[in-house]
């Protein structure tokens, strides 16, 4: 079976009649592609009318056991959305759009991008990769086909508004950017959650369905859940303790935690000490940061810090941090220090602490070569900001496009891949204007939205209902080991294209090669690295392995290669009972691969010893010292972000079931701050920052820390030229990223400051 001819429902669906449904309906089991939790779903369909009748939680899914959230319906509503694009759209001279066929569209895109490359060099093209890529296996595996063909160093992604500081810290500490330590929620009895709101986000870099139940279970078994956040969040409501913290003061606070660990003799790394360098250096650094010295900046009383540290050390604790400690001024230091605290307390790689998943595709197995940490091979034209392991801060896209900032060396061709940076990246207004200076822009996207309206061409893929999937990223971030293949629920129409096909076809055209050959080369290149002499699969040649692969094209061929060689795999041995593609596809409720394992280090690391105080990260401490005084100022008002259960960044607002209800784009403000400005709930306010201003409704609430206001991101749909009529009517909102300053960076990672933006708020 080829991946571009997805499984017809009958191949993986159980015909079933149940109350209220006709005997001809079928239930297809697949995972929900909308957030990291990847819950198992029962999708009941009428295959004849190609309608989804209902979606329920799959009670037989080992991980989610029937759980789902309101966003489970997103997959259905996107599939049915009449405004969703299904065929390529090309902009005419007069700015209107026409549907064109795929051959014409792909030829046109390749010709324009190649013309720019020939006239101005490879770096005259650039691209931006957005978040749904992480939920689409073909999107992840086939990006190289496009990126390598472009050959540009102008590479941007949503990562620099997200987890990138964690990648940079991990790369320096563990030698591996993508091996995230994940809280062992099933066994911890003291969970510290900094800058994350898993009750709403459903857990990020901590993927697990029904996080609420998992956190409540910690409390029920006598443990504690401590949230540290400038907002008393939904998660704080079920936690045992909540500490308010000044935005951007997490690194200062974490250094004071280390200070207490050393001064009170609580720094006990245990077995980790045998393979960790740099502990003494951390002790010297932390010596300066007593809880007393940082208290004014963090807002946390010294005695509270000391008590928290003692209690954490007395328990089986796991210390975790997410978006709030990443997209802030000291994101890399804060991310690094979370790992430091877990190492110093012996909680990294220990049961009940922070553990490393063991994905079926083998990406954390021993014997991997270390990828060097590199940066500065390319510097932006406008301001000389260095790339870091291939990433440039996404907020710098605008100035790289503008003739006034980047001159002749500006970016002229631009590709967005499943991203909406006009709403998601800093200073979206400037970016939108800069896009109109481009010579050519193509968007791989399913909507005509705030970003893609600037494109010359939109290439829409099939959506999750129409293609198979494998939870490739989230098996590396799950709170329990699992492997999950999902079938296509409906076969797409003949003239629709899967996202992976668009990537490889466009890449192949740019390179001047047949796409089938490029696809084969990618698989053969992968096999050459993972089978044959010197690998875990020494007795099979790459050629033999290639001949054994089930599919002829598509992402599941690469997944098959990886899982057969991976820790649960059959190693291409026909007599083995290990995992192969047929067994994976037969497991219609997903494969439960057991709890996360402890004691995987140092074998699972690509470097021999943990580097607890890496030079690259430590070099940022001077900047941290300067940040101390700023955070102690009493007159500060700063903006942070928040997520909401019915949103997914910017792109679910056009779905009636998720967009209904009252306006959600509201500014939360503490009663003291509201009082000073004469504000009350329901009043409209103007929020202004260095780069822009917006108008929103305010809600006065003591869930905010004084001096901090909160706005959700992903709104701002009231722009002309988009086809998002539901979003425009139901939840237009205003774009919080029109306030995000593209120049403010977490310097070591080049990540933007979306939390802790200085703002002014006044009544309208
Ligand atoms: N202020 C502030 N800004 C933030 C954040 C924050 O916390 N605060 N969070 C940041 C984070 S963590 C992230 S991940 C980014 C997200 O940033 P982006 O990824 O740029 O934004 P999204 O809104 O997720 O855009 C997704 C795009 O993918 C398209 N799409 C969805 N499904 C498909 C599909 O199946 N096929 C195709 N071809 N396209 C599809 C949608 O139409 C939409 O255009 O936002 C960041 N921005
Ligand atoms: N429903 C829903 N779920 C989602 C998403 C969505 O848009 N909607 N987006 C998905 C994506 S792309 C991601 S990356 C994840 C993110 O997952 P989370 O990190 O759990 O997401 P947030 O809810 O943004 O939580 C960030 C928290 O950090 C706090 N914070 C802000 N500044 C600071 C600070 O300086 N220090 C500290 N300690 N805290 C701070 C905020 O108040 C907020 O409560 O969620 C994913 N899940
Ligand atoms: S929690 Fe996430 S994966 Fe589960 S149903 Fe909701 S959106 Fe889907
Ligand atoms: Mo994200």
């Amino acid at each position: 079976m080829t991946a571009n001819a997805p499984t017809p429902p009958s191949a993986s669906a159980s015909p079933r009649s149940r109350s209220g449904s006709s005997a001809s309906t079928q239930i297809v089991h697949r995972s929900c592609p909308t957030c990291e939790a990847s819950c198992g779903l029962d999708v009941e369909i009428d295959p004849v009318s190609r309608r989804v009748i209902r979606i329920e939680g799959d009670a037989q899914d080992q991980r989610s056991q029937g759980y789902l959230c309101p966003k489970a319906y997103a997959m259905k509503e996107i599939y049915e959305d009449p405004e969703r694009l299904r065929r390529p759209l090309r902009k005419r001279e007069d700015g209107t759009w026409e549907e064109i066929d795929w051959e014409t569209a792909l030829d046109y895109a390749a010709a324009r991008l190649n013309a720019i490359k020939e006239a101005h060099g490879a770096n005259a093209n650039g691209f931006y990769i957005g978040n749904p890529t992480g939920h689409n296996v073909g999107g992840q595996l086939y990006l190289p086909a496009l990126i390598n063909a472009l050959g540009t160093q102008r590479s941007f992604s949503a990562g620099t508004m997200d987890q990138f500081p964690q990648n940079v810290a991990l790369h320096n500490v563990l030698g591996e950017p993508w091996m995230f330590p994940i809280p062992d929620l099933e066994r911890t009895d003291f969970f510290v959650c900094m800058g994350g709101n898993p009750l709403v986000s459903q857990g990020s870099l901590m993927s697990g369905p029904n996080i609420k139940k998992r956190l409540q279970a910690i409390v029920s078994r006598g443990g504690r859940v401590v949230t540290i956040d400038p907002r008393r969040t939904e998660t704080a409501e079920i936690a045992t303790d909540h500490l308010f913290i000044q935005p951007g003061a997490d690194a200062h606070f974490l250094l004071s935690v280390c200070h207490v660990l050393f001064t009170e003799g609580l720094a006990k790394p245990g077995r980790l000490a045998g393979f960790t360098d740099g502990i003494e250096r951390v002790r010297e650094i932390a010596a300066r940061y007593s809880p007393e010295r940082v208290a004014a900046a963090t807002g946390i009383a010294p005695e509270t810090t000391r008590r928290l540290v003692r209690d954490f050390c007395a328990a089986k604790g796991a210390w975790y941090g997410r978006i709030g400690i990443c997209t802030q001024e000291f994101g890399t230091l804060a991310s690094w220090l979370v790992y430091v605290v877990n190492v110093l307390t012996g909680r990294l790689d220990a049961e009940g602490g922070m553990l490393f998943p063991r994905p079926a595709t083998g990406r954390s197995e021993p014997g991997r070569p270390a990828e060097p940490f590199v940066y500065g091979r390319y510097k932006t034209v406008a301001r000389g900001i260095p790339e870091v392991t291939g990433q440039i801060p996404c907020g710098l896209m605008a100035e790289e496009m503008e003739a006034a900032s980047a001159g002749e060396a500006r970016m002229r061709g631009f590709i967005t891949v499943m991203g909406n940076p006009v709403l998601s990246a800093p200073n979206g207004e400037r970016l939108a204007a800069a896009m109109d200076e481009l010579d050519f822009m193509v968007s791989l996207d399913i909507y005509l939205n705030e970003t893609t309206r600037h494109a010359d061409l939109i290439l829409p893929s099939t959506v999750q209902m129409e293609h198979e999937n494998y939870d490739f990223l989230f098996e590396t971030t799950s709170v329990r080991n699992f492997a999950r293949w999902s079938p296509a629920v409906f076969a797409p129409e003949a003239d629709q294209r899967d996202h992976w096909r668009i990537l490889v076809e466009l890449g192949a055209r740019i390179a001047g090669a047949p796409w089938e050959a490029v696809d084969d080369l990618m698989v053969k290149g992968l096999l050459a690295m993972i089978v044959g002499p010197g690998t875990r699969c020494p007795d099979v040649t790459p050629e033999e392995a290639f001949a054994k692969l089930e599919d002829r094209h598509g992402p599941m061929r690469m997944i098959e290669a990886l899982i057969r060689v991976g820790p649960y795999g059959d190693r291409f041995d026909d007599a083995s009972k290990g995992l192969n593609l047929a067994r994976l596809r037969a497991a219609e409720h997903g494969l439960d691969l057991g709890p996360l394992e402890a004691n995987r280090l140092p074998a699972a690391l690509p470097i021999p010893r943990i580097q607890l105080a890496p030079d690259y990260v430590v070099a940022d401490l001077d900047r941290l010292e300067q940040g101390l005084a700023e955070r102690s100022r009493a007159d500060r008002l700063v903006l942070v972000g928040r997520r909401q259960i019915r949103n997914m960044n910017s792109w679910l607002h056009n779905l009636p079931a998720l967009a209904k209800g009252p306006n959600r784009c509201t500014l939360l403000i503490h009663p003291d701050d509201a009082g000073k400005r004469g504000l009350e709930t329901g009043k409209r306010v103007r929020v202004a920052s260095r780069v822009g201003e917006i108008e929103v409704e305010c809600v006065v609430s003591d869930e905010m820390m004084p001096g901090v206001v909160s706005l959700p991101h992903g709104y701002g749909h009231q722009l002309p030229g988009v086809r998002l009529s539901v979003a425009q009517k139901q939840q237009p909102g205003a774009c919080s990223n029109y306030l995000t300053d593209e120049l403010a960076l977490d310097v070591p990672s080049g990540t933007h400051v979306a939390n802790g933006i200085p703002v002014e708020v006044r009544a309208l």
Side-chain angles (χ1 to χ4, degrees):
M1 198 192 75
T2 63
N4 50 323
T7 333
S10 55
S12 57
S14 10
R16 202 182 283 184
S17 85
R18 54 209 236 164
S19 56
S21 46
S22 82
S24 66
T25 67
Q26 293 182 338
I27 293 180
V28 184
H29 307 288
R30 59 157 297 152
S31 73
C32 174
T34 304
C35 90
E36 291 188 28
S38 312
C39 300
L41 301 180
D42 288 348
V43 185
E44 187 175 2
I45 59 164
D46 179 343
V48 179
S49 67
R50 293 168 59 90
R51 303 289 297 182
V52 179
I53 295 160
R54 75 177 128 209
I55 295 181
E56 286 176 3
D58 177 357
Q60 294 179 70
D61 183 288
Q62 299 261 12
R63 291 173 73 248
S64 58
Q65 300 172 359
Y67 175 81
L68 45 59
C69 86
K71 287 194 301 302
Y73 265 77
M75 190 170 50
K76 162 179 157 67
E77 294 219 324
I78 290 173
Y79 169 70
E80 291 172 356
D81 189 345
E83 289 180 323
R84 193 231 320 165
L85 307 178
R86 286 154 174 86
R87 277 160 272 284
L89 270 193
R90 182 168 61 186
K91 198 182 267 163
R92 298 191 188 95
E93 287 282 315
D94 65 0
T96 59
W97 295 90
E98 61 180 341
E99 271 193 9
I100 58 172
D101 66 77
W102 280 100
E103 296 306 303
T104 310
L106 291 163
D107 283 345
Y108 172 56
R112 294 293 299 268
L113 293 165
N114 270 339
I116 291 169
K117 189 174 175 180
E118 272 154 37
H120 305 282
N123 285 339
N125 288 315
F127 60 85
Y128 169 84
I129 310 297
N131 166 272
T133 301
H135 301 258
N136 183 311
V137 63
Q140 289 157 74
L141 290 172
Y142 283 88
L143 266 180
L146 176 62
I147 292 173
N148 295 341
L150 286 168
T152 176
Q153 293 171 295
R154 273 194 170 123
S155 145
F156 304 90
S157 81
T160 52
M161 280 295 268
D162 195 342
Q163 84 299 329
F164 197 49
Q166 280 171 291
N167 298 130
V168 170
L170 281 178
H171 207 156
N172 281 278
V173 174
L174 301 183
E176 159 70 82
W178 288 100
M179 210 169 108
F180 296 105
I182 308 301
D184 185 13
L185 293 184
E186 291 183 5
R187 288 169 295 196
T188 190
D189 55 19
F190 202 116
F191 176 58
V192 179
C193 177
M194 287 184 92
N197 186 12
L199 245 67
V200 169
S201 67
Q202 304 282 358
S204 180
L205 303 184
M206 177 170 69
S207 320
N210 205 348
I211 284 282
K212 182 177 182 181
K213 191 171 140 201
R214 291 168 203 264
L215 297 186
Q216 282 172 330
I218 299 174
V219 179
S220 304
R221 56 181 185 254
R224 276 165 67 187
V225 173
V226 181
T227 50
I228 305 179
D229 195 301
R231 178 177 162 240
R232 204 174 55 246
T233 58
E234 291 80 353
T235 307
E237 293 298 334
I238 64 152
T240 52
D241 310 69
H242 173 72
L243 305 181
F244 278 130
I245 189 166
Q246 258 303 325
D250 299 86
H252 303 93
F253 172 69
L254 288 161
L255 279 170
S256 78
V257 167
C258 297
H259 182 100
V260 176
L261 288 173
F262 285 115
T263 53
E264 299 198 5
L266 295 169
K268 292 177 183 157
R271 63 181 284 276
L272 301 173
F275 49 88
T276 300
D277 293 334
I279 294 175
E280 278 315 301
R281 190 149 178 224
V282 174
R283 180 199 298 271
E284 286 157 25
I285 294 164
R288 264 183 106 178
Y289 292 90
S290 69
E292 286 72 17
R293 181 157 179 264
V294 302
T298 61
I300 298 175
E303 202 32 53
T304 305
T305 307
R306 291 183 197 281
R307 223 179 312 121
L308 173 68
V309 176
R310 288 173 203 144
D311 292 351
F312 181 80
C313 290
K316 228 163 44 166
W319 200 301
Y320 159 88
R322 198 48 192 103
I323 274 284
I325 68 154
C326 291
T327 51
Q328 57 139 293
E329 201 175 342
F330 303 108
T332 303
L333 286 174
S335 300
W336 163 61
L337 286 162
V338 167
Y339 307 137
V340 168
V341 168
N342 284 299
V343 170
L344 290 179
T345 54
R347 305 310 307 151
L348 189 76
D349 198 30
E351 202 177 284
M354 301 292 286
L355 297 179
F356 297 97
R358 200 152 188 210
T361 46
R363 286 165 291 161
S364 70
E365 293 308 300
R368 301 177 326 284
E371 239 181 84
F373 178 77
V374 286
Y375 57 96
R377 291 161 300 176
Y378 174 80
K379 290 198 166 77
T380 61
V381 172
R383 281 189 304 119
I385 303 292
E387 60 81 31
V388 178
T389 61
Q391 289 288 311
I392 308 172
C394 64
L396 304 186
M397 288 188 290
E399 62 183 31
E400 292 295 289
M401 291 172 187
E402 292 162 352
S405 310
E408 274 305 296
R410 70 183 180 277
M411 184 151 73
R412 297 161 190 265
F414 184 54
I415 309 179
T416 63
V417 182
M418 298 181 159
N420 191 3
V422 168
L423 298 192
S424 298
N427 201 347
E429 279 183 302
R430 180 176 180 185
L431 177 62
M435 282 174 173
D436 291 333
E437 289 193 43
L438 291 165
D439 295 350
F440 179 70
M441 172 168 159
V442 50
S443 290
L444 276 56
D445 208 285
I446 52 171
Y447 281 106
L448 177 48
N449 64 19
E450 299 77 13
T451 294
T452 62
R453 75 196 174 118
H454 297 276
D456 300 284
L457 180 69
I458 307 176
L459 302 175
S461 67
T462 52
V463 291
Q464 293 275 350
M465 279 285 182
E466 300 162 325
H467 63 77
E468 61 182 343
N469 201 23
Y470 178 83
D471 295 320
F472 187 52
L473 181 55
F474 306 127
E475 66 177 356
T476 72
T477 59
S478 175
V479 298
R480 214 180 145 83
N481 288 316
F482 82 113
R484 178 80 199 220
W485 172 78
S486 294
V489 177
F490 299 109
E493 287 161 37
D495 59 350
Q496 282 186 279
R497 285 281 204 284
D498 283 347
H499 187 65
W500 69 267
R501 267 283 292 271
I502 302 173
L503 290 168
V504 67
E505 285 204 53
L506 184 56
R509 271 178 168 76
I510 292 169
W515 74 264
E516 294 89 340
V518 174
D519 189 24
D520 283 352
L521 264 180
M522 289 176 71
V523 180
K524 287 176 178 164
L526 174 66
L527 285 169
M529 290 190 291
I530 60 175
V531 304
T535 70
R536 287 161 50 82
C537 236
D539 303 329
V540 187
T541 66
E543 295 72 26
E544 285 163 350
F546 185 80
K548 286 189 170 195
L549 296 176
E550 284 193 21
D551 289 2
R552 281 215 291 68
H553 290 293
M556 291 311 294
R557 244 190 347 171
M558 282 189 255
I559 294 298
E560 178 181 6
L562 290 167
I563 60 170
R564 295 184 76 167
V565 174
Y568 319 94
D570 71 359
R571 312 252 167 125
F572 287 98
D573 172 0
D574 297 333
S576 162
K577 294 221 162 19
L579 192 58
N580 60 22
L581 189 57
R583 291 186 181 115
L584 177 75
R585 281 183 168 141
E588 51 179 10
H589 306 288
L591 282 171
D592 179 45
L593 300 171
L596 303 185
E597 295 164 36
N599 303 328
R600 297 200 61 216
L601 304 189
L605 295 181
I607 56 175
R609 297 175 68 81
I610 295 176
Q611 299 301 311
L612 204 59
D615 290 337
Y616 183 78
V617 175
V618 167
D620 199 34
L621 284 165
D622 288 346
R623 214 168 54 88
L624 188 78
E625 186 58 27
Q626 289 156 22
L628 198 58
E630 168 63 22
R631 265 156 201 77
S632 312
R633 269 178 41 203
D635 60 340
R636 234 162 82 99
L637 187 67
V638 293
L639 174 68
V640 299
R642 76 176 186 277
R643 285 179 157 73
Q644 298 167 314
I645 201 79
R646 287 166 191 274
N647 300 352
M648 182 48 119
N649 299 318
S650 75
W651 56 281
L652 301 186
H653 295 148
N654 209 48
L655 310 179
L658 297 175
K660 68 183 178 208
N663 167 35
R664 301 197 292 257
C665 185
T666 55
L667 183 84
L668 296 178
I669 185 164
H670 186 270
D672 294 351
D673 297 316
K676 280 182 221 160
R677 293 165 179 81
L679 304 177
E680 52 199 61
T681 295
K683 271 221 166 137
R684 286 193 73 77
V685 293
R686 179 162 290 154
V687 190
S689 74
R690 184 192 76 85
V691 298
E693 51 181 53
I694 60 172
E695 290 174 17
V696 286
E697 205 176 286
C698 80
V699 172
V700 180
S701 169
D702 67 2
E703 74 194 47
M704 293 312 300
M705 186 177 187
V708 187
V709 290
S710 160
L711 257 182
H713 72 282
Y715 293 92
H717 301 295
Q718 215 52 295
L719 295 173
V722 304
R723 277 188 208 162
L724 299 166
S725 58
V726 176
Q728 293 206 308
K729 191 155 158 263
Q730 301 280 335
Q731 295 289 344
C735 179
S736 69
N737 281 319
Y738 289 5
L739 303 170
T740 309
D741 188 339
E742 73 275 26
L743 302 187
L745 290 177
D746 166 49
V747 173
S749 68
T751 299
H752 292 282
V753 181
N755 288 293
I757 303 165
V759 288
E760 283 169 20
V761 175
R762 60 186 171 81
L764 269 181

